[in-house]
Amino acid sequence: MATIRSYPWIRHFLGSPTGHVVHLRHGRVAHEGVGQAFWFRPTTSVLSEVPVDDQELPVFFHAVTTDHQDVTVQAGVTYRFTDPVTASQRLDFAVDPHSGATSTDGRDQVTSIVGQLAQSHATDVLASMSLAQAMTAGVPRVRALLGEVLPADPRLAATGIAVVGVQVLAVRPEKDVERALQTPAREHVQAEADRATYERRALAVERERAIAENELASKIELATRRERLVAHEGANARREAEEKAAAALVDARARAERGRLETESRADQVRAVGQAEADAERARMDVYTEAGQGTLVALALRDAASSLPAVQHLTVTPDLLTGLVGSLVQGALGGTPDGDGTPARKAA
């Protein structure tokens, strides 16, 4: 926006870097360009300031499709003034010489011109399309058409306006129609969501079934292994018992054989001892047979004396003395006594 300073009978104009100023004095161009600074008299000068930067123009309009459905087109047009002098002559961009304010009539005129051109061309395109086609292919087709016809429009070129870009944001039907059109898609999306939910549940059930089957298979496997373990343990126990029984049988047989051998050895020893004792007794009997009565009595007394208690007093009776004397006499004579104790005579 330009800046104007007031002085007595004169003004000073200071332009902006984005405004092309045209200073007419007495109907002729005195100053013209961007960023101008000059003195002027308000009574003899006319000022116009045309923007030279890119201008964004939103465009909204309605169109009717072949199936008599109203649609709203939301677009945006980017333009610039390529010939500011021509634009200042065709459009109202006057600047107040006292305040420096620029008139907005020029911008309103551009909005009306561009909006009407865009609406006329877009309406022709949408009028040949059904609502479904407009919803699906309306945006690219309208964008391509406006991007082609607006830059080449002769009226815009004659006004010094160049369209540098067209954007079509949406082609939308009325709200109730749009809601009705969205219903099948929503139902389809809901159906897909339900299907995904059912599939997820089915998958969860299938996984739970697989987990249950795995658990059951694990239990069966554990039971089978436990059965095998019990069978192996029973077989091992039986084998161990058989081995112990066999070892016990071998041990018993060994003990029996050892006992038999010991018994036979003891029997042989007893037999040998008995035989020896019998031989000794026989020899002793032979000796006793050959020995005389006195010898036998003496031996008997000797054996009896070894087992008799100690004798403190001895009483000698006549009978004992008679027999003893007879024995002595017989021994001296070499005979044997008779039954009455008298010595017998020797045989011739």
Side-chain angles (χ1 to χ4, degrees), residues 11-329:
R11 303 287 186 271
H12 184 269
F13 179 88
L14 179 62
S16 63
T18 58
H20 188 103
V21 63
V22 178
H23 176 208
L24 299 177
R25 182 187 302 145
H26 301 291
R28 291 179 298 179
V29 177
H31 299 88
E32 183 260 335
V34 178
Q36 293 290 320
F38 52 86
W39 297 90
F40 69 94
R41 299 179 67 178
T43 57
T44 59
S45 298
V46 175
L47 300 177
S48 298
E49 187 179 21
V50 181
V52 294
D53 55 343
D54 291 347
Q55 303 293 313
E56 297 293 338
L57 175 63
V59 179
F60 295 91
F61 55 89
H62 294 270
V64 179
T65 61
T66 56
D67 47 2
H68 308 288
Q69 297 295 324
D70 185 65
V71 294
T72 302
V73 179
Q74 180 181 358
V77 179
T78 303
Y79 68 94
R80 71 166 63 102
F81 294 97
T82 57
D83 190 353
V85 177
T86 303
S88 64
Q89 295 173 356
R90 302 289 296 272
L91 303 173
D92 185 7
F93 287 98
V95 177
D96 188 353
H98 300 284
S99 64
T102 304
S103 175
T104 60
D105 293 340
R107 294 178 182 272
D108 296 338
Q109 291 173 351
V110 173
T111 300
S112 177
I113 294 172
V114 175
Q116 289 177 0
L117 288 174
Q119 182 175 1
S120 63
H121 293 293
T123 300
D124 294 338
V125 173
L126 294 174
S128 62
M129 302 172 63
S130 65
L131 178 62
Q133 293 174 347
M135 294 293 295
T136 56
V139 171
R141 290 186 61 178
V142 172
R143 181 191 304 116
L145 177 63
L146 295 182
E148 179 181 355
V149 300
L150 289 181
D153 187 80
R155 182 180 178 184
L156 295 179
T159 312
I161 300 173
V163 175
V164 297
V166 176
Q167 302 84 29
V168 178
L169 304 180
V171 177
R172 303 182 62 178
E174 295 180 352
K175 291 185 178 181
D176 54 348
V177 177
E178 184 177 11
R179 192 178 302 110
L181 292 174
Q182 290 174 352
T183 300
R186 290 178 179 176
E187 293 295 333
H188 178 70
V189 172
Q190 186 63 38
E192 290 295 325
D194 294 340
R195 184 180 61 82
T197 301
Y198 297 149
E199 290 180 355
R200 184 171 62 253
R201 291 179 179 175
L203 181 60
V205 172
E206 182 66 22
R207 289 180 178 177
E208 290 178 358
R209 185 186 62 80
I211 292 173
E213 290 181 355
N214 292 334
E215 291 179 353
L216 181 60
S218 299
K219 291 181 180 179
I220 295 174
E221 182 66 21
L222 289 177
T224 303
R225 292 185 179 181
R226 189 177 295 110
E227 181 181 1
R228 293 177 182 175
L229 178 62
V230 170
H232 283 298
E233 289 180 350
N236 292 335
R238 288 194 299 271
R239 187 176 302 171
E240 185 178 359
E242 291 174 357
E243 294 294 334
K244 287 183 179 180
L249 179 60
V250 172
D251 189 23
R253 289 179 179 178
R255 287 198 301 271
E257 185 66 21
R258 186 167 56 253
R260 186 183 63 80
L261 294 176
E262 290 178 355
T263 302
E264 291 180 357
S265 177
R266 286 197 298 271
D268 292 340
Q269 291 178 1
V270 170
R271 189 180 300 109
V273 171
Q275 185 65 36
E277 289 179 353
D279 293 342
E281 188 66 25
R282 187 180 302 109
R284 189 180 299 111
M285 290 297 105
D286 293 340
V287 171
Y288 287 163
T289 303
E290 295 178 0
Q293 183 178 4
T295 303
L296 295 175
V297 172
L299 291 174
L301 291 176
R302 186 190 64 184
D303 293 337
S306 62
S307 59
L308 290 175
V311 179
Q312 300 295 331
H313 300 285
L314 178 63
T315 302
V316 181
T317 63
D319 296 333
L320 180 60
L321 185 58
T322 300
L324 180 60
V325 172
S327 297
L328 292 176
V329 171

